[in-house]
Amino acid sequence: MNSRLTAHTFHIPVMGLGYTIDTPIKVAHYGISSAISLVDDALMEAMREFYSKKFNLPFNPIGNHHIEDRVKRITAYLNLVEKIVKTKFEDVKASFAQKKGELAKYMDMLPDVSTLKIEYHKFIQSPDHLSGIREWLNNHLPVGSIDVNIMTKLDREKYKDGEKLPSTFNDAHMALKGFAESNLSSALILSAGMNPSLYTYIESFPDFFPDANGILRKRIILKVSDYRSALIQGKFLAKKGIWVSEFRVESAINCGGHAFVSNGDALGPILEEFKKSKESLKSEIYPMWCDALKAKNIDAPNEMPELLITAQGGLGTAKEHEFLLSYYGLDSIGWGSPFMLVPEATLVDDHTLDLLCKATEEDLYLSDVSPVGVPFNNLRNNTKDIERDQNIANGTPGFKCTMRFCEVTPAYDNKIWCTASRQYQKRRLEEIKTLNLNTTEYEEQYKSIIQKTCICVGLSTSALMVNNPTSKPYIGTVSVCPGPNLAYFTKTMSLQEMVDHIYGRTNVLERTDRPHMFIKELMLYNQYLSDKRLSVFLTDKERKGLDGMEKRVNEAIVYYQQLTDNNTLDNNFSTSLKAFKN
């Protein structure tokens, strides 16, 4: 089976709920792939209204009165995005006669070693190229993929008249259906771990199975933390006839958004295992997939579908980008947080953008503000945290829960609660007063309760503020979740500048003290371990887990030392590694 044509060796991962909500509209026509979060259907409806008006397209609002309206809103927005991207991509191809047109910009941004770029320049040097240029572009020029992301943990159950509805009405399940019923031919990225019910639901939609030509109209990308997770989840889906087209490895701690810090495995050793075991992974999963297709009376393709291994988390230089591609044989690299400083690509309001440009290492930290119960990369003095502190000062900690996407914690009255909600925090604070805790214990418990913020609203607000898709100016507070690597990017950039930086044609970093991404990850693990060991509620089991994490960090140091010893990593890295060990 032929692999998809791709223009670039990087992709833009999903960021928050709103920061990349329209990124495909901004970059896909240049061949750059990106991802849309499918959490907030209200935001998608507002963005659909905004872009319908901008491009003079009809807009018929979809309310939120019936449970299936969530599916309809998601599908409608994705169909609109695809329609706009197709139009803009055709405009790119039609601009071939313009020296500084969109096609020229497309080609300028490609890697200098790109086969597509080289072949294009050869083609246009031929005397009769104008007669065949449109056909050549139609056959060779790829558009960026309009991928979507579902955080599997955000799968709130739905009720009607006090009765729990079937799982197909859960939030993540309906998001999946919204994508499955859209016109997109792209990938569904599943993050935040395995959700067996959601994974099983994928079987309900034919686009995830190969068609008569062996083509997967809709692909699956799994975001994984290690090889074992990839193998387990890949087998689970293969037995259902669902092929995983890409395993996307993310640093557990040197990333943006939620940090699924588990056992302390470092990115380098994880990628080494994928490098050594990729063929084994394919050979284990492929027969299962073929058998499952046969049981469903679906013909398996004559060739194994593509299976890509990609990575992301903390990249900052062209040298790091090239190293991951060449040494580990990766197919693409995710560049996330730096794109928050690229207004041409993401939606960040001016105030937050200014905070991000000025942020230092101390301002970007791993927090416990997320009600999902997973460590969350945070920016100090963001306006959502300021609102939280004002609520506390006013004697009303917590937030009014409006969107309810983060209701994931079983608690009172046999219900699932959002731990950032005012109702939950009130009851929890009353509860700890009855526990006879000493002052230190009480303060730690108190802080752990009141520090939660309403991120399901906060992570969408910035997009609304920038595009102002409603008739009145939107005022709200903003949550922001950049990775720690953003401390070394200190100014806004054009899309061209950012892409040129990725490919080593320019350097946008003004600071010279940025540690290598592998060293930074080790530093972050050490800080995490130190912080966790301070808790007065640390159990023997948790202490043992932290000891295991420290052991794996030390094993990573040995691994990186081996890479320096055989000159795989250069002397500068060796010097930094020695400084870290000391």
Side-chain angles (χ1 to χ4, degrees):
M1 182 183 293
N2 293 328
S3 297
R4 293 175 299 111
L5 289 173
T6 56
H8 289 276
T9 59
F10 76 91
H11 57 270
I12 303 176
V14 69
M15 286 184 272
L17 306 189
Y19 294 112
T20 56
I21 193 72
D22 67 347
T23 297
I25 292 175
K26 300 177 181 222
V27 305
H29 54 294
Y30 298 125
I32 300 171
S33 297
S34 60
I36 295 171
S37 167
L38 295 189
V39 172
D40 192 345
D41 55 297
L43 172 63
M44 284 180 261
E45 180 69 359
M47 296 298 292
R48 187 170 70 89
E49 179 182 7
F50 170 77
Y51 275 108
S52 295
K53 291 178 179 178
K54 182 174 181 178
F55 287 92
N56 296 315
L57 297 170
F59 174 75
N60 296 311
I62 300 171
N64 195 23
H65 309 295
H66 305 287
I67 195 163
E68 284 283 344
D69 285 345
R70 172 170 169 79
V71 174
K72 296 175 182 177
R73 290 169 136 195
I74 291 171
T75 301
Y77 180 63
L78 296 180
N79 286 345
L80 177 68
V81 172
E82 190 215 27
K83 182 181 182 70
I84 293 171
V85 167
K86 278 187 173 180
T87 299
K88 295 181 78 171
F89 189 52
E90 289 304 311
D91 290 344
V92 167
K93 291 186 285 188
S95 71
F96 60 84
Q98 303 171 18
K99 289 185 177 180
K100 295 184 179 181
E102 290 292 89
L103 180 58
K105 186 174 181 179
Y106 183 114
M107 291 297 168
D108 284 345
M109 282 195 283
L110 293 177
D112 293 339
V113 296
S114 164
T115 302
L116 173 62
K117 191 173 191 174
I118 294 169
E119 290 182 353
Y120 170 75
H121 286 298
K122 284 183 179 178
F123 182 83
I124 61 175
Q125 290 172 5
S126 61
D128 58 346
H129 73 273
L130 289 178
S131 61
I133 184 67
R134 192 55 188 261
E135 182 181 358
W136 190 94
L137 292 173
N138 286 337
N139 292 333
H140 293 83
L141 209 64
V143 67
S145 187
I146 308 168
D147 298 330
V148 301
N149 187 91
I150 293 178
M151 188 174 176
T152 60
K153 191 177 181 72
L154 300 185
D155 199 22
R156 175 181 47 141
E157 297 173 341
K158 295 293 181 66
Y159 291 80
K160 184 176 182 180
D161 300 327
E163 295 292 325
K164 186 168 76 170
L165 295 172
S167 62
T168 53
F169 293 103
N170 291 4
D171 276 345
H173 283 66
M174 287 199 290
L176 168 58
K177 185 177 182 182
F179 169 66
E181 294 184 349
S182 75
N183 297 331
L184 289 177
S185 179
S186 60
L188 168 63
I189 305 164
L190 295 167
S191 62
M194 188 169 171
N195 181 336
S197 174
L198 182 67
Y199 284 18
T200 300
Y201 191 43
I202 298 172
E203 289 183 86
S204 305
F205 305 102
D207 276 4
F208 290 100
F209 297 101
D211 63 15
N213 297 314
I215 302 299
L216 294 169
R217 179 169 172 74
K218 289 183 169 65
R219 296 168 285 110
I220 295 293
I221 296 175
L222 289 185
K223 192 184 289 187
V224 295
S225 57
D226 55 35
Y227 179 80
R228 180 175 177 273
S229 174
L231 184 60
I232 291 172
Q233 295 186 71
K235 284 182 175 181
F236 183 90
L237 287 166
K239 290 176 182 178
K240 299 179 180 300
I242 305 299
W243 182 257
V244 177
S245 298
E246 177 185 333
F247 290 102
R248 185 166 289 183
V249 186
E250 183 175 59
S251 170
I253 197 167
N254 192 14
C255 61
H258 287 91
F260 291 85
V261 181
S262 52
N263 55 14
D265 287 334
L267 186 61
I270 294 171
L271 294 179
E272 186 73 44
E273 186 169 12
F274 272 96
K275 176 182 178 180
K276 293 177 179 178
S277 305
K278 181 176 180 179
E279 295 307 314
S280 174
L281 181 66
K282 289 180 179 179
S283 64
E284 287 198 58
I285 292 176
Y286 182 61
M288 295 179 182
W289 182 65
C290 291
D291 289 345
L293 291 179
K294 183 178 180 181
K296 294 176 182 293
N297 295 316
I298 299 173
D299 292 332
N302 294 327
E303 298 178 30
M304 184 186 300
E306 67 177 5
L307 192 157
L308 308 180
I309 307 296
T310 66
Q312 57 198 42
L315 275 94
T317 68
K319 193 172 184 180
E320 291 173 352
H321 181 86
E322 182 56 36
F323 176 77
L324 293 187
L325 290 174
S326 59
Y327 180 74
Y328 294 112
L330 299 181
D331 297 287
S332 181
I333 310 296
W335 283 72
S337 296
F339 272 99
M340 297 190 80
L341 302 185
V342 183
E344 287 180 69
T346 54
L347 290 174
V348 184
D349 63 278
D350 290 341
H351 176 73
T352 303
L353 195 59
D354 184 60
L355 287 178
L356 291 172
C357 289
K358 295 175 180 176
T360 65
E361 291 92 336
E362 291 72 28
D363 297 317
L364 300 164
Y365 69 105
L366 197 59
S367 74
D368 289 318
V369 304
S370 171
V372 177
V374 178
F376 183 78
N377 282 283
N378 203 20
L379 171 68
R380 292 192 198 281
N381 298 318
N382 68 77
T383 53
K384 181 60 69 176
D385 283 1
I386 291 173
E387 181 189 3
R388 174 202 60 197
D389 294 344
Q390 288 174 341
N391 290 343
I392 296 168
N394 293 335
T396 55
F399 296 82
K400 183 179 179 181
C401 197
T402 55
M403 305 303 290
R404 302 178 61 192
F405 293 123
C406 290
E407 289 184 333
V408 297
T409 303
Y412 307 105
D413 307 323
N414 296 317
K415 294 181 180 179
I416 306 297
W417 292 72
C418 172
T419 59
S421 68
R422 188 160 294 164
Q423 300 94 320
Y424 172 86
Q425 292 194 9
K426 181 179 179 181
R427 295 184 68 165
R428 188 77 181 93
L429 290 171
E430 290 173 350
E431 185 177 53
I432 65 170
K433 290 178 181 178
T434 68
L435 299 179
N436 297 318
L437 302 172
N438 63 41
T439 302
T440 303
E441 292 171 337
Y442 179 83
E443 286 298 324
E444 184 172 331
Q445 286 273 38
Y446 176 80
K447 182 180 178 181
S448 70
I449 295 167
I450 64 168
Q451 66 182 318
K452 305 299 183 185
T453 65
C454 180
I455 61 171
C456 67
V457 172
L459 290 174
S460 295
T461 300
S462 194
L464 293 169
M465 293 173 74
V466 175
N467 276 348
N468 187 20
T470 56
S471 58
K472 297 180 181 179
Y474 188 89
I475 300 174
T477 56
V478 174
S479 299
V480 61
C481 51
N485 183 49
L486 196 61
Y488 309 103
F489 292 81
T490 55
K491 60 184 179 180
T492 58
M493 298 160 281
S494 69
L495 180 61
Q496 181 79 56
E497 286 174 324
M498 188 67 239
V499 174
D500 284 348
H501 176 77
I502 291 171
Y503 293 138
R505 295 187 290 248
T506 191
N507 177 28
V508 301
L509 293 175
E510 296 177 336
R511 291 181 56 173
T512 59
D513 59 341
R514 178 187 175 276
H516 189 282
M517 60 180 292
F518 289 162
I519 300 294
K520 181 67 174 182
E521 186 183 49
L522 297 177
M523 294 166 64
L524 292 168
Y525 271 127
N526 271 0
Q527 185 63 54
Y528 179 83
L529 287 164
S530 298
D531 292 344
K532 285 297 180 182
R533 292 190 191 279
L534 294 175
S535 173
V536 296
F537 293 102
L538 196 63
T539 65
D540 289 341
K541 181 179 180 181
E542 289 170 334
R543 188 174 290 105
K544 185 176 180 181
L546 294 177
D547 290 342
M549 182 180 290
E550 185 174 358
K551 179 183 177 183
R552 279 179 283 275
V553 170
N554 290 329
E555 290 171 351
I557 294 172
V558 173
Y559 166 79
Y560 291 133
Q561 185 62 59
Q562 292 172 346
L563 292 187
T564 61
D565 289 344
N566 61 24
N567 296 318
T568 302
L569 288 168
D570 60 25
N571 291 333
N572 288 335
F573 182 89
S574 179
T575 301
S576 298
L577 185 62
K578 289 177 182 177
F580 172 79
K581 290 192 294 184
N582 294 334

